[in-house]
Amino acid sequence: MTRVVVTGAAGFIGSNIIKGLNARGIDDIIAVDDLSQGDKFRNLADLKIADYVDLDDFYPLFDEGHYGQVEAVFHEGACSDTMEQDGKYMMDNNYTLSCELFQACQQQGTRLLYASSAATYGGSDTFREEPAFERPLNVYGYSKLLFDQRLRRELGPKFEKTRHQVVGFRYFNVYGPHEQHKGRMASVAYHQFNQFKAEGRVKLFGEYGGYAQGQQMRDFVFVDDVVAVNLWFFDHPGKSGVFNLGSGRAQPFNDVAHAVVNTLRGLKGEASLSLADVAARGLIEYIPFPDALRGKYQCYTQADLGALRAAGCDHAFADVQTGVAKYVQWLASQA
């Protein structure tokens, strides 16, 4: 029986990874999280796990070998609020705890697959897993980068000195089921779905950073694709390093809004509209760019998938039109 641990298990990506493991028949899973926000239990309710452990209890017990032989830890637990200003809290959660977990995994022969972030690139215009392009704009991005740097220092630039697999995934803009608890940090697609249901229109930022309204571009990646890549590395224990996990395709926020609107129209039996028609009918509302985000906002991201492909992972990623349509259909089915 393969025993695995998933931290942040009741969170967005953690719960989807458990779903992916369950689909393979793996259910000897220790789910680790903090359920102070009680409604997150919904993300675990229909999944099969062996045990739930509060994060405050888990780390010292794991360090002592309390859980026996664990094949791998999927470490998704973190403070992911990019607007969080408490640097001490952020570093304790995202850096110090991760360092302690890494040491325990290496001592116990447990593989570690962990969440890094595209926020490590920050103000860069090149998104390749190299120090020259890593320029975080906030303490969240820095906390993730520092852990990557610590591992490079201990294991070599591509983690070539590790005894047991260690893989970091730089997640780009992930969207999909089970993110509802994230509030303002949930994806644009999630917020737009709710806006359209409530107000009959969606909202996007207006002109900013040299980009026309709604034309700021991000690498949007569907959570099913994120799970697929995590599980590919789980299947290839000889592969270690830090890898971008995005679609490799930058698309404007307008594409997300367009997909949300047309999918919801389709569910009501209404015809699809062009983006120009959607805007002309007032189904997209462009709002002024918020002052709080000025200088801290990535207007363009696109994952360089060179390292991922070189490692042998040839997973095909969904584009926004496909992934957002699937997600909106799922959201509508939950209403």
Side-chain angles (χ1 to χ4, degrees), residues 60-247:
L61 289 171
F62 181 73
D63 194 42
E64 295 166 7
H66 177 78
Y67 299 102
Q69 182 56 47
V70 174
E71 175 66 24
V73 174
F74 292 88
H75 182 40
E76 309 302 318
C79 174
S80 59
D81 186 347
T82 58
M83 301 291 284
E84 174 61 60
Q85 297 299 307
D86 187 339
K88 182 180 188 306
Y89 173 77
M90 188 72 78
M91 298 305 287
D92 285 348
N93 273 269
N94 294 2
Y95 176 67
T96 305
L97 209 57
S98 297
C99 289
E100 293 169 356
L101 179 61
F102 161 70
Q103 296 292 350
C105 283
Q106 289 290 290
Q107 290 164 8
Q108 296 180 36
T110 298
R111 299 191 277 143
L112 177 63
L113 299 92
Y114 72 90
S116 184
S117 173
T120 54
Y121 298 114
S124 181
D125 58 5
T126 302
F127 304 90
R128 191 160 64 241
E129 305 91 328
E130 297 173 12
F133 308 117
E134 295 161 355
R135 304 169 193 166
L137 293 171
N138 50 47
V139 71
Y140 166 72
Y142 178 66
S143 71
K144 290 293 191 178
L145 176 59
L146 193 61
F147 184 56
D148 292 347
Q149 290 175 328
R150 169 76 177 270
L151 295 187
R152 286 168 171 163
R153 185 181 181 91
E154 293 200 22
L155 304 176
K158 299 186 183 298
F159 297 4
E160 61 269 18
K161 299 176 186 175
T162 187
R163 290 174 293 153
H164 309 289
Q165 182 185 40
V166 181
V167 189
F169 298 109
R170 289 190 168 167
Y171 297 142
F172 279 68
N173 280 64
V174 188
Y175 63 91
H178 294 177
E179 61 169 324
Q180 69 287 337
H181 62 280
K182 294 181 67 176
R184 69 184 180 193
M185 297 308 299
S187 72
V188 175
Y190 175 77
H191 287 300
Q192 290 179 347
F193 170 84
N194 288 304
Q195 287 165 0
F196 195 83
K197 296 284 280 186
E199 304 173 23
R201 64 181 184 273
V202 301
K203 296 179 181 179
L204 284 180
F205 291 148
E207 184 179 355
Y208 175 74
Y211 290 82
Q213 54 188 16
Q215 287 298 111
Q216 295 89 358
M217 302 177 78
R218 291 285 182 90
D219 188 326
F220 298 100
V221 57
F222 191 40
V223 72
D224 287 3
D225 293 327
V226 166
V227 172
V229 174
N230 269 269
L231 294 181
W232 186 89
F233 278 90
F234 185 60
D235 291 338
H236 294 80
K239 305 289 186 179
S240 291
V242 175
F243 299 93
N244 286 334
L245 214 175
S247 69

Side-chain angles (χ1 to χ4, degrees), residues 10-30:
F12 174 30
I13 295 175
S15 62
N16 277 285
I17 286 174
I18 294 176
K19 179 185 174 186
L21 290 166
N22 283 175
R24 292 175 162 215
I26 298 172
D27 59 10
D28 189 1
I29 299 168
I30 299 166

